[in-house]
Amino acid sequence: MRVFVAGGAGVLGRRLVPQLVERGHQVTATTTSTAKLGLLKQLGAEAVVMDGLDARSVGEAVAHARPDVIVHQMTAISGKPDIKHFDRWFAVTNRLRTEGTDHLLAAAQAIGVAHFVAQSYGAWNGIREGGWVKSEEDPLDPTSTGKGAEAIRHLEDVVVQAGGAVLRYGAFYGPGATDDQVELVRKRQYPVVGNGGGYSSWVHLDDAASATVLAVEQQAKGVFNIVDDEPAPAREWLPHLAACAGAKRPMRVPAWLARPVAGQVAVMMMTEGRGFSNAKAKRELGWRLRYPSWRQGFKEGLA
């Protein structure tokens, strides 16, 4: 198929494009930077500069590529994590999930693109009631990430209405995905907050990419949790990450002390977060993970 990957130079796009090319697809991948055009060409794609927030730029890029499927991987998350100021940190990403999604869907409709696959998020932001592990039938927490939650809800609603697939990726790890977190862990600036009982779900970039390829090839529809087999509380995964990184064991900080320093989102994630089940993706897409658990993946990746 002709596959248009919007955001192909991003941390996941750089793992996705080669997998699509290897399976025989013709890939057009976009970046906002001319400096990254060479990288995308090396990965086997036709490289295009596109501004996802400019409707004309998006329309022209999609019309030129004439794809069979569009894969929306556009984000703007880089630099040191700033969970305390989540809305500010995710401001551009929120626009890409709202305006950018709308521009891509309009371009798809204009030339009759058959299918649409979009990146969503499902790491710790399941509804904070009931059990600790959520399926696709459970709603996301509308208060988890401020304006980010609203942007995700918009993306999921319009993509599902258009007959596309929404992939709720867990927290990414793998080449280039957790460097900033690992640095904070090594500096002992990433503590376990409260009892560390909040759950998170992780996924290796290569596994996230392979699930995306399946969603593309099978023209999947609806919502899928793309996470590994082991959602786990912070008090388990964070000390393991530290050990794999050769760092000292993380400190423990009470929630009342962490709240003014790290912000409410960090406290919520560490103490009340809900993870996700991958049963639907494994059952309906036939997805098989190379890294079924973050325990194995952290160890191999940081060895």
Side-chain angles (χ1 to χ4, degrees):
M1 290 185 286
R2 294 188 303 276
V3 184
F4 185 92
V5 181
V11 68
L12 178 56
R14 294 195 299 269
R15 314 301 285 189
L16 172 61
V17 169
Q19 289 195 27
L20 288 167
V21 171
E22 183 179 347
R23 291 175 70 87
H25 302 296
Q26 178 182 324
V27 180
T28 298
T30 78
T31 174
T32 58
S33 170
T34 56
K36 294 181 179 179
L37 290 173
L39 167 65
L40 291 175
K41 291 176 182 177
Q42 290 175 5
L43 296 177
E46 179 180 346
V48 177
V49 172
M50 185 188 80
D51 180 356
L53 298 177
D54 183 325
R56 181 174 178 177
S57 177
V58 173
E60 290 177 350
V62 172
H64 176 74
R66 302 201 65 82
D68 300 303
V69 56
I70 291 175
V71 182
H72 176 3
Q73 298 289 351
M74 297 187 298
T75 62
I77 308 167
S78 61
K80 184 178 179 180
D82 189 7
I83 296 178
K84 183 177 182 180
H85 305 102
F86 211 91
D87 284 341
R88 184 172 69 192
W89 183 32
F90 267 72
V92 179
T93 294
N94 290 341
R95 291 186 63 196
L96 289 167
R97 286 174 171 165
T98 51
E99 299 167 48
T101 302
D102 292 346
H103 295 334
L104 283 170
L105 284 171
Q109 184 177 21
I111 65 167
V113 176
H115 192 44
F116 197 97
V117 177
Q119 175 185 146
S120 186
Y121 183 67
W124 55 271
N125 52 321
I127 190 73
R128 288 178 294 138
E129 58 186 39
W132 292 97
V133 181
K134 303 300 181 182
S135 74
E136 290 82 357
E137 300 301 316
D138 297 302
L140 298 178
D141 189 333
T143 66
S144 58
T145 56
K147 294 179 181 178
E150 298 174 14
I152 289 172
R153 183 164 59 248
H154 173 84
L155 179 148
E156 294 196 353
D157 287 347
V158 296
V159 171
V160 170
Q161 287 171 11
V166 169
L167 306 184
R168 288 178 179 167
Y169 299 115
F172 289 147
Y173 71 95
T178 51
D179 295 350
D180 295 312
Q181 287 175 298
V182 169
E183 181 181 355
L184 292 175
V185 167
R186 286 175 172 152
K187 292 179 178 178
R188 302 199 82 195
Q189 294 176 359
Y190 200 146
V192 176
V193 175
N195 67 359
Y199 273 60
S200 291
S201 285
W202 293 85
V203 66
H204 191 282
L205 288 169
D206 289 340
D207 284 326
S210 70
T212 309
V213 171
L214 291 172
V216 166
E217 293 180 342
Q218 298 178 25
Q219 298 190 14
K221 300 180 185 297
V223 179
F224 296 86
N225 296 334
I226 306 302
V227 297
D228 74 13
D229 293 348
E230 192 176 0
R235 60 176 174 250
E236 291 185 19
W237 66 256
L238 186 51
H240 183 72
L241 177 62
C244 292
K248 294 182 178 179
R249 191 173 182 83
M251 294 184 290
R252 281 185 176 263
V253 175
W256 64 265
L257 181 59
R259 192 169 286 110
V261 176
Q264 178 59 28
V265 172
V267 173
M268 185 189 306
M269 176 183 72
M270 285 274 187
T271 61
E272 301 180 73
R274 263 51 173 185
F276 293 84
S277 165
N278 63 15
K280 179 181 177 182
K282 292 170 76 173
R283 180 180 66 250
E284 296 190 11
L285 299 178
W287 184 40
R288 296 293 179 266
L289 290 87
R290 179 180 176 185
Y291 298 96
S293 171
W294 47 268
R295 296 181 192 275
Q296 168 199 2
F298 288 176
K299 185 176 181 180
E300 290 188 17
L302 293 169

